Amino acid sequence: MKIKNDAKISEEQAFRGIGVSSGIAIGPAYVIDQHGVPVPEYTLAASQIDLELKRFQAAINKTQKQLGQLKQKAESLPAGAVEEITLLLEAYRGMLSGSRLVRGVEELISNDKLNAEAAVQRQISSIAASFAAMEDSYLSARVTDVREVGSRLIRNLLQQQYNPFADAPEGSVLIAEEITPADTALMNPERISGFAAVLGGAEGHSAIMARALGLAAVLGVAELINGVNTGDTVIVDGIEGVVIVRPSATVLQHYKQESLKLAREAKKLKTLKDVPAITSDGTTITLQANLELPREVEAAIDAGASGVGLLRTEFMFMNRPDLPDEDEQFESIMQIVKNLDGRPLTVRTLDVGGEKLATALGSAVGESINPALGLRAIRLGLKQPKLLETQLAAILRASAYGPVRILVPMVSSVGQMSRVREHLFQVERRLRRRGVKLPAAMPPVGAMIEIPGAALAADALTKVCDFFAIGSNDLTQYTLAIDRGDDRVAELYDPFHPAVLRLIQFTVAAAWRANIPVSLCGEMASDPQAAALLMGLGLREFSMSPSNIPLVKQEILSLSISQAVAFAEAVMSKSDEAEICALLEAGAKNVSQQVSGAKRKIVK
Ligand code: PEP
Ligand code: MG
């Protein structure tokens, strides 16, 4: 499906979506052509044929799923457009079962021993040639549809190892059907000013990356399908979740002023950089940064981060067909340790699977029926010890250069942590035998608490963990059974749901009882409105998107712990999300004043 509509529309159009990264981007649209992908060709060994057929089937399944998602998305379009797009998508889906395309590809794989991508491409060419020979204008138009389905299949087989916007002009606003986290990793904020896409939700990793890079972004914009051409002026308003195409002079002027205002506010907040985050009654709060990419270290230090509370190591595995070896991973992490200049770094082991699929691991991760619940994160590491041990060795080596902690994602049991520790022990022994430089004391090893079961087992986990990091993004997703990246259920995704808050409270209490450090590093930590509540629940350490550190710090400076505790008590006494939301809107200072006023009355 092309988002681009060939019929040029010259008047202003506004489309609504989910504002996932605040800020305003104004620039020329660059509509990403997700079609022209270079295709490798190679001969398979006889023993690889079955596996290749399975890989092809997995790509068909994935393509079916994407087309299904697009169909649902299209349902929110005006009636005429729904019908047209639905019919087209249905036709595409039809081409994926028992069709000439599918049969032909299977034959090329089995008989000619051709790899799946090349087989799809060859089969498309052969269908196109025979359609063209029919000299029927309707049938030759169908060639476009076959090509469309074929390129989707190829993209899914290749898992997008390409840079789809390498030649976007400076200041461009990217427009696409879908922007993956791997795509976002390729964006340079000095060249790209923001993006908007048809698919995606607020807590998916593309959204998190956009916030990390300071790019304005709006996702889940159904109607983008209908009306943007490359070169159109576009405004992406990540605060309100609006995309305006071909704005009128008045609207453009308004947004330019808003954008200047935002820049002024950001400059003002920068003056807080060296001010320590201490509450008005003297409690120090640790504010650290989440890093998606090594190049963010500078921004983190500039924003006043006292360290890195979460290094997502997936960046080392993205946009490449092979796996990084121990030396490469060591170099990457060691460089970050050095750049942090004595500030602590928490390195999380690889968290791929689910939406965070690394190309090189594609076949190892496989297609889970339910990827969010499938083979991902530490489950994959424990199934593939070489993958885990290579990374542990790299982290251990880097920890000789500065303070490092090791964080394990998606832990659900004590046994998993014990096994990770055993692998770490083996790696340490091996490195010592090799005479490699190691730190005097081994780095602390902690668990992400992001599965409800882990939160409920927090007391037991304290026995095998040196620290906890609460991942409120996944904790919300799994507690409420809401896909964090799906815009269709985005309104149900609520980290302030009483069930999520209770799990956070339970985890923090267990950590305090066992006297181990506990931090929160989900997106909730970036929200100044959440600061009082989380401090009131006992949290003293947060890790967040660097750009939000000054805002959260400003809030902390204006609060006392006693206000935070009173506020948290008020929030935790509510069982209705709407009431909790109203308290958050009212703010901790107002609510705690009312609470203490009421208590005084009772005492009298
Ligand atoms: C989380 O789940 O809250 C978290 C910090 O991890 P990620 O967003 O990388 O899944
Ligand atoms: Mg997580």
Side-chain angles (χ1 to χ4, degrees):
M1 148 141 347
K2 284 203 177 88
I3 295 165
K4 205 157 61 165
N5 186 351
D6 288 337
K8 288 220 193 288
I9 312 159
S10 56
E11 70 278 12
E12 173 180 300
Q13 279 193 303
F15 305 121
R16 187 153 284 285
I18 307 166
V20 300
S21 176
S22 63
I24 292 167
I26 306 173
Y30 185 84
V31 181
I32 297 175
D33 175 11
Q34 291 173 315
H35 303 267
V37 190
V39 174
E41 182 171 328
Y42 49 86
T43 307
L44 302 165
S47 59
Q48 292 174 311
I49 289 176
D50 277 352
L51 214 65
E52 195 68 356
L53 287 168
K54 279 197 190 123
R55 198 165 74 87
F56 178 52
Q57 189 54 49
I60 291 181
N61 297 346
K62 187 164 181 188
T63 310
Q64 285 279 19
K65 203 163 130 192
Q66 289 167 339
L67 292 170
Q69 278 179 345
L70 278 177
K71 199 172 141 214
Q72 276 167 333
K73 192 82 242 173
E75 274 157 21
S76 58
L77 294 176
V82 179
E83 212 172 303
E84 195 183 315
I85 289 173
T86 306
L87 281 174
L88 189 65
L89 292 173
E90 270 314 310
Y92 287 176
R93 293 181 83 172
M95 280 182 221
L96 289 167
S97 58
S99 63
R100 186 172 157 197
L101 174 65
V102 172
R103 275 182 284 116
V105 172
E106 285 169 348
E107 276 163 26
L108 285 167
I109 295 174
S110 307
N111 304 339
D112 294 17
K113 301 194 177 63
L114 196 58
N115 63 305
E117 298 86 342
V120 173
Q121 197 172 51
R122 201 175 289 179
Q123 187 61 10
I124 295 171
S125 305
S126 125
I127 295 175
S130 62
F131 273 30
M134 287 179 201
E135 286 181 4
D136 175 310
S137 63
Y138 175 79
L139 281 181
S140 35
R142 298 285 66 77
V143 172
T144 322
D145 299 343
V146 178
R147 280 194 206 288
E148 165 67 40
V149 174
S151 47
R152 266 185 185 280
L153 278 170
I154 292 174
R155 249 183 15 247
N156 286 331
L157 283 161
L158 291 173
Q159 298 181 29
Q160 292 197 342
Q161 313 159 29
Y162 70 112
N163 185 342
F165 39 81
D167 53 356
E170 207 162 314
S172 292
V173 174
L174 302 178
I175 305 289
E177 181 186 300
E178 185 174 16
I179 303 254
T180 65
D183 290 337
T184 322
L186 296 172
M187 289 181 197
N188 174 357
E190 274 159 29
R191 294 187 54 79
I192 306 295
S193 54
F195 63 85
V198 178
L199 302 174
E203 307 305 329
H205 281 84
S206 302
I208 293 177
M209 300 264 261
R211 291 194 280 273
L213 294 172
L215 292 166
V218 179
L219 299 180
V221 196
E223 287 158 309
L224 261 193
I225 293 172
N226 264 349
V228 193
N229 300 300
T230 290
D232 284 344
T233 299
V234 178
I235 298 168
V236 169
D237 176 350
I239 304 164
E240 296 297 325
V242 177
V243 179
I244 302 166
V245 184
R246 296 171 296 273
S248 66
T250 328
V251 168
L252 192 60
Q253 186 55 24
H254 165 77
Y255 271 101
K256 280 186 176 162
Q257 273 166 3
E258 286 299 303
S259 175
L260 281 175
K261 212 155 81 191
L262 286 178
R264 273 198 299 273
E265 277 165 23
K267 205 168 154 201
K268 209 168 90 198
L269 280 173
K270 268 202 152 176
T271 57
L272 291 181
K273 181 188 167 206
D274 296 319
V275 177
I278 301 181
T279 59
S280 60
D281 50 358
T283 300
T284 300
I285 306 294
T286 304
L287 299 183
Q288 299 193 324
N290 291 350
L291 296 194
E292 325 299 312
L293 302 167
R295 59 179 143 116
E296 292 170 68
V297 173
E298 206 183 322
I301 295 174
D302 265 2
S306 63
V308 169
L310 169 65
L311 172 68
R312 292 181 167 103
T313 52
E314 292 77 68
F315 72 89
M316 293 192 270
F317 295 75
M318 279 175 178
N319 296 306
R320 57 186 294 163
D322 57 342
L323 293 171
D325 64 13
E326 180 189 312
D327 283 346
E328 189 184 335
Q329 294 192 50
F330 159 65
E331 286 292 335
S332 245
I333 301 169
M334 185 260 287
Q335 204 47 56
I336 298 175
V337 173
K338 283 189 170 168
N339 290 343
L340 282 170
D341 200 16
R343 296 173 184 86
L345 168 69
T346 300
V347 185
R348 186 173 71 184
T349 60
L350 185 64
D351 185 7
V352 291
E355 60 162 343
K356 301 186 242 182
L357 194 66
T359 314
L361 285 164
S363 56
V365 178
E367 277 287 305
S368 291
I369 297 168
N370 195 338
L373 305 181
L375 188 60
R376 52 174 299 195
I378 196 56
R379 301 164 183 191
L380 179 67
L382 289 172
K383 272 243 156 66
Q384 301 212 9
K386 186 157 183 299
L387 188 69
L388 177 65
E389 291 194 0
T390 304
Q391 199 169 37
L392 291 176
I395 303 172
L396 272 190
R397 286 170 59 191
S399 69
Y401 296 79
V404 167
R405 305 194 302 178
I406 299 174
L407 179 58
V408 185
M410 298 286 296
V411 171
S412 57
S413 71
V414 168
Q416 284 175 324
M417 278 308 287
S418 306
R419 286 171 63 202
V420 170
R421 284 187 178 279
E422 277 161 30
H423 285 292
L424 189 63
F425 182 61
Q426 299 293 345
V427 169
E428 183 196 344
R429 276 211 326 206
R430 252 197 325 266
L431 291 177
R432 287 205 189 282
R433 270 204 306 271
R434 258 165 60 191
V436 172
K437 177 176 165 187
L438 289 180
M442 282 294 104
V445 186
M448 289 285 293
I449 304 295
E450 51 186 347
I451 294 178
L456 292 169
D459 279 305
L461 282 167
T462 59
K463 311 268 186 312
V464 281
C465 292
D466 300 316
F467 67 96
F468 284 162
I470 301 174
S472 54
N473 307 337
D474 278 316
L475 192 59
T476 306
Q477 155 164 276
Y478 294 120
T479 304
L480 305 179
I482 309 291
D483 185 333
R484 59 194 265 194
D486 188 340
D487 54 290
R488 293 162 305 158
V489 285
E491 79 280 6
L492 294 172
Y493 181 94
D494 178 14
F496 297 102
H497 187 290
V500 181
L501 295 180
R502 272 171 182 70
L503 290 171
I504 294 176
Q505 185 180 38
F506 195 85
T507 306
V508 176
W512 276 76
R513 273 194 294 277
N515 200 20
I516 62 167
V518 53
S519 66
L520 189 140
C521 60
E523 290 305 291
M524 206 180 181
S526 298
D527 180 354
Q529 268 192 349
L533 168 61
L534 296 173
M535 288 194 299
L537 292 178
L539 280 154
R540 299 290 180 263
E541 280 178 44
F542 302 101
S543 189
M544 66 197 77
S545 199
S547 56
N548 281 54
I549 291 177
L551 264 181
V552 173
K553 191 190 278 183
Q554 194 178 38
E555 181 68 11
I556 289 168
L557 294 173
S558 72
L559 283 167
S560 66
I561 289 292
S562 52
Q563 278 173 328
V565 169
F567 183 61
E569 275 172 11
V571 170
M572 297 310 281
S573 71
K574 304 288 180 204
S575 49
D576 179 347
E577 303 95 271
E579 285 179 322
I580 293 176
C581 185
L583 285 177
L584 291 165
E585 292 284 321
K589 275 160 281 197
N590 293 333
V591 173
S592 59
Q593 238 163 27
Q594 283 163 19
V595 173
S596 54
K599 274 193 185 151
R600 268 200 306 277
K601 268 189 210 149
I602 294 168
V603 174
K604 275 181 201 164

